[in-house]
Amino acid sequence: MESWSVDQVCNWLRQRNLGELVPKFREEEVSGAALLALNDRMVRQLVKKIGHQAVLMDLINKYHQQKNGLESFTYYCETASPKFPEKKYLSSSENEELIDRRVLKQKKNMKSFFTRYKTLQWTSSYALPDFPYDVKCILAEKKCPDHSMRIRIIEFLQADMTKYLEGSLYPNSQQYNIVVSALLQAYPFLDEDGNGFLLWKRALKDRFKYVRRPIEDDEQVLRNKCKFGHRRGQTRRSLSRQNEIKCLDIKEPIYLDGKEMDVHINWLKQEYTKTQRNWKEVDNRMNVTTEIRRKMISDKAPLKQILRLFPFLRCPYQLFREFQLLTCMDIYKKTVEILETYSENILSLYVVRNNPINIMLQENLKLHTEEDILKYMKMTAACLLLPDVFGDDSSLFAAVNEEVKVITPVLKVKNPFNVNSCEFALYIEREELTQLDDCTMALAALVAAFHVFDIPCPKRIHRTLNFLESLVSEMRGSPSLPAQVKRGLELPKHPNI
């Protein structure tokens, strides 16, 4: 492999279903020797997709292992290289079957590499950042740093972790452990009395919390703040009461003349075009314009006109907030509870046993072992199977791997169980309203859209939406799935919910 030319490297990539990398490798003139010299940082600069990065690093590592082992990697490359193929005469059907098996095997490997990528990236390639000169001097003298120097070390570790996480401010516990372990391994004197690991890990966690606290324009941070709440010093009961008071205050009519209203609407339209948005001011101006917006919706103004004046209704956060202004209910939180409570029961029903969604789920469950991925897949399947449980028209609920054909709110779902390429979007009037992160957010957005835009529910989907709305609004009585479905009987026209 060391003597391979750029063309041979490109042929090697094509044979391993990495043909997308060929133009970049030609542009950078990556020969065989250069390929073997690539490290993890070079691979990240050269290859954009995470799955391709993982596959490429795994192939390079396998080469080095086989070179030092009993098997000759040269023989392995020659037998696998397209330049010297073994002549086998296969029929067209046998050839297609062989190709299908290779493609399925490669897809399976790509999925497993994706799930292992973060662990692979941090365990095998993480290196401490290049600290500033004054920090290097203190560490070189092997002196225990004072409080201010500790803060500087933590700041640089936090910045470096954020870079590795591609801007995310939510590392997991394993990533914290790897970074702190690397620090103490490089500078053992920082492990004071054997308690240094816990102290440095806690300091690093606190630093991330400190950085996240003032952020008001990052949707991921805002979503987690809403999800986990600012409950320090407050009880759930007091928070619920405060939310009710807040909703009541917002619903009070605010009288503004035409010029003042135009100022707020123009500001919202201009702010929507920015990448860095002032979400606090957006909330305030959306509150001020609530009356005119609700009047337009109740008067059946065209949806395009409403979205042109109030484009932030395209954001899931503002869509959920608008629903909360109308109902004083946190629909995202309620939707999470619904799917976690009912997903197992839905998947065990007789009526969905032979459903294509359930069959697709069972095939994908065999490819993963991580609990969080399995739970996510089951919740996604339960969400998509709800209309079938109630005997409703599923095409009015979600279009899975197909085009949207209805004008009422509907979900468009692409590759629901593919951890690499799953996509969720909400469509109204056959146009995309917003992109969504997962099935929970998608289901919450679908229910919220009917209320926020005052859209009548189609009769062929009303039982499914009534079931969800009764759970969200916490109506008296415990809603349940139709008992007849569990026994395989015919679904009643009006199931008891």
Side-chain angles (χ1 to χ4, degrees), residues 393-451:
D393 188 352
S394 59
S395 65
L396 298 175
F397 185 85
V400 182
N401 294 331
E402 61 183 17
E403 294 299 322
V404 172
K405 301 176 182 178
V406 297
I407 62 174
T408 54
V410 66
L411 299 177
K412 183 176 181 180
V413 185
K414 180 180 178 183
N415 303 326
F417 306 113
N418 190 318
V419 293
N420 270 334
S421 59
C422 58
E423 295 178 3
F424 297 85
L426 176 64
Y427 276 66
I428 303 180
E429 297 180 356
R430 297 192 185 94
E431 292 186 7
E432 181 178 307
L433 181 74
T434 182
Q435 290 280 344
L436 304 156
D437 292 345
D438 52 31
C439 66
T440 306
M441 183 177 288
L443 184 58
L446 178 66
V447 177
F450 280 97
H451 280 270

Side-chain angles (χ1 to χ4, degrees), residues 238-255:
S238 63
L239 278 173
S240 176
R241 180 59 182 164
Q242 288 179 11
N243 289 336
E244 291 177 5
I245 294 173
K246 182 179 179 182
C247 289
L248 293 174
D249 291 341
I250 293 173
K251 285 185 178 180
E252 293 181 359
I254 301 174
Y255 299 100

Side-chain angles (χ1 to χ4, degrees), residues 2-182:
E2 290 90 342
S3 59
W4 280 6
S5 64
V6 176
D7 291 336
Q8 288 176 309
V9 171
C10 293
N11 290 335
W12 180 77
L13 291 173
R14 291 191 189 96
Q15 187 181 3
R16 283 152 182 81
N17 290 336
L18 298 175
E20 296 181 14
L21 310 182
V22 169
K24 189 65 176 177
F25 272 60
R26 287 190 182 279
E27 180 183 350
E28 299 295 336
E29 298 182 357
V30 179
S31 61
L35 176 66
L36 297 177
L38 293 176
N39 56 33
D40 61 304
R41 297 194 182 226
M42 293 179 185
V43 170
R44 282 197 297 275
Q45 293 176 358
L46 196 63
V47 182
K48 292 183 178 180
K49 292 186 178 180
I50 292 176
H52 290 171
Q53 293 176 11
V55 172
L56 189 59
M57 287 301 299
D58 186 72
L59 291 173
I60 294 174
N61 291 334
K62 281 183 178 179
Y63 168 78
H64 290 295
Q65 292 173 3
Q66 292 175 356
K67 184 179 179 181
N68 298 327
L70 297 176
E71 182 181 359
S72 171
F73 189 75
T74 305
Y75 175 77
Y76 171 80
C77 290
E78 289 176 353
T79 56
S81 173
K83 187 175 180 181
F84 305 103
E86 183 181 354
K87 293 184 179 180
K88 291 183 179 181
Y89 300 96
L90 301 176
S91 64
S92 59
S93 60
E94 291 175 337
N95 192 25
E96 290 178 359
E97 183 180 357
L98 179 62
I99 293 174
D100 289 340
R101 285 202 302 267
R102 287 178 178 176
V103 171
L104 290 174
K105 183 178 179 181
Q106 185 65 26
K107 287 183 177 180
K108 183 177 180 181
N109 291 337
M110 290 287 287
K111 292 178 182 178
S112 63
F113 281 130
F114 180 82
T115 56
R116 291 167 43 207
Y117 173 71
K118 287 186 178 180
T119 303
L120 176 66
Q121 180 187 24
W122 286 79
T123 55
S124 64
S125 63
Y126 181 77
L128 290 173
D130 189 15
F131 291 113
Y133 178 76
D134 56 340
V135 177
K136 287 181 178 179
C137 292
I138 295 295
L139 295 176
E141 295 175 0
K142 296 185 178 181
K143 294 181 179 180
C144 290
D146 57 12
H147 180 69
S148 61
M149 192 58 63
R150 282 175 176 268
I151 292 176
R152 283 177 58 76
I153 294 174
I154 290 296
E155 286 177 349
F156 275 87
L157 289 178
Q158 179 266 321
D160 192 59
M161 289 181 70
T162 304
K163 179 186 68 176
Y164 267 78
L165 291 168
E166 297 181 353
S168 174
L169 295 174
Y170 291 92
N172 58 38
S173 181
Q174 184 180 11
Q175 290 164 347
Y176 280 120
N177 294 342
I178 291 170
V179 172
V180 175
S181 298

Side-chain angles (χ1 to χ4, degrees), residues 142-383:
K142 296 185 178 181
K143 294 181 179 180
C144 290
D146 57 12
H147 180 69
S148 61
M149 192 58 63
R150 282 175 176 268
I151 292 176
R152 283 177 58 76
I153 294 174
I154 290 296
E155 286 177 349
F156 275 87
L157 289 178
Q158 179 266 321
D160 192 59
M161 289 181 70
T162 304
K163 179 186 68 176
Y164 267 78
L165 291 168
E166 297 181 353
S168 174
L169 295 174
Y170 291 92
N172 58 38
S173 181
Q174 184 180 11
Q175 290 164 347
Y176 280 120
N177 294 342
I178 291 170
V179 172
V180 175
S181 298
L183 178 67
L184 298 184
Q185 186 176 1
Y187 308 103
F189 60 90
L190 296 178
D191 188 5
E192 302 174 4
D193 301 329
N195 297 322
F197 182 87
L198 296 178
L199 294 176
W200 285 98
K201 182 178 179 180
R202 171 52 57 189
L204 193 54
K205 282 187 173 182
D206 291 341
R207 176 63 189 175
F208 271 96
K209 290 181 181 179
Y210 176 80
V211 172
R212 293 193 299 259
R213 190 177 303 158
I215 293 179
E216 297 179 351
D217 57 355
D218 186 281
E219 191 167 350
Q220 182 190 17
V221 175
L222 290 175
R223 186 168 60 251
N224 279 276
K225 285 182 178 180
C226 293
K227 182 177 180 180
F228 299 105
H230 294 276
R231 294 175 178 166
R232 184 171 296 177
Q234 296 178 326
T235 63
R236 290 178 179 265
R237 187 173 181 180
S238 63
L239 278 173
S240 176
R241 180 59 182 164
Q242 288 179 11
N243 289 336
E244 291 177 5
I245 294 173
K246 182 179 179 182
C247 289
L248 293 174
D249 291 341
I250 293 173
K251 285 185 178 180
E252 293 181 359
I254 301 174
Y255 299 100
L256 297 174
D257 59 27
K259 292 183 179 179
E260 291 178 336
M261 191 65 67
D262 289 341
V263 170
H264 292 298
I265 292 175
N266 290 333
W267 186 92
L268 289 170
K269 291 162 64 176
Q270 293 176 2
E271 190 71 7
Y272 184 76
T273 61
K274 299 179 181 179
T275 55
Q276 298 293 332
R277 298 162 179 167
N278 185 349
W279 287 104
K280 185 176 181 180
E281 187 63 19
V282 169
D283 292 346
N284 293 335
R285 293 182 186 258
M286 289 291 284
N287 292 344
V288 171
T289 56
T290 299
E291 182 186 15
I292 184 66
R293 183 167 61 253
R294 299 316 308 170
K295 188 176 187 304
M296 290 179 63
I297 292 174
S298 63
D299 292 340
K300 303 301 179 183
L303 180 63
K304 291 183 179 180
Q305 182 181 356
I306 297 171
L307 294 176
R308 182 175 59 83
L309 299 179
F310 305 99
F312 280 96
L313 290 178
R314 294 180 178 272
C315 300
Y317 167 74
Q318 285 297 330
L319 188 64
F320 298 159
R321 190 173 181 276
E322 190 84 353
F323 182 89
Q324 190 169 6
L325 297 180
L326 299 173
T327 64
C328 292
M329 292 289 178
D330 186 347
I331 189 169
Y332 180 78
K333 179 181 176 182
K334 294 291 183 182
T335 306
V336 173
E337 295 173 357
I338 291 170
L339 289 181
E340 288 180 348
T341 303
Y342 287 87
S343 59
E344 293 290 343
N345 291 337
I346 291 172
L347 296 177
S348 65
L349 294 178
Y350 177 86
V351 72
V352 302
R353 184 173 301 174
N354 297 322
N355 190 285
I357 297 294
N358 196 19
I359 295 174
M360 193 187 310
L361 169 68
Q362 300 304 324
E363 292 176 353
N364 283 272
L365 289 178
K366 300 175 184 178
L367 305 179
H368 301 276
T369 58
E370 296 82 358
E371 292 183 1
D372 54 345
I373 294 180
L374 298 178
K375 179 181 178 182
Y376 169 80
M377 287 184 174
K378 290 180 180 179
M379 290 174 63
T380 302
C383 171

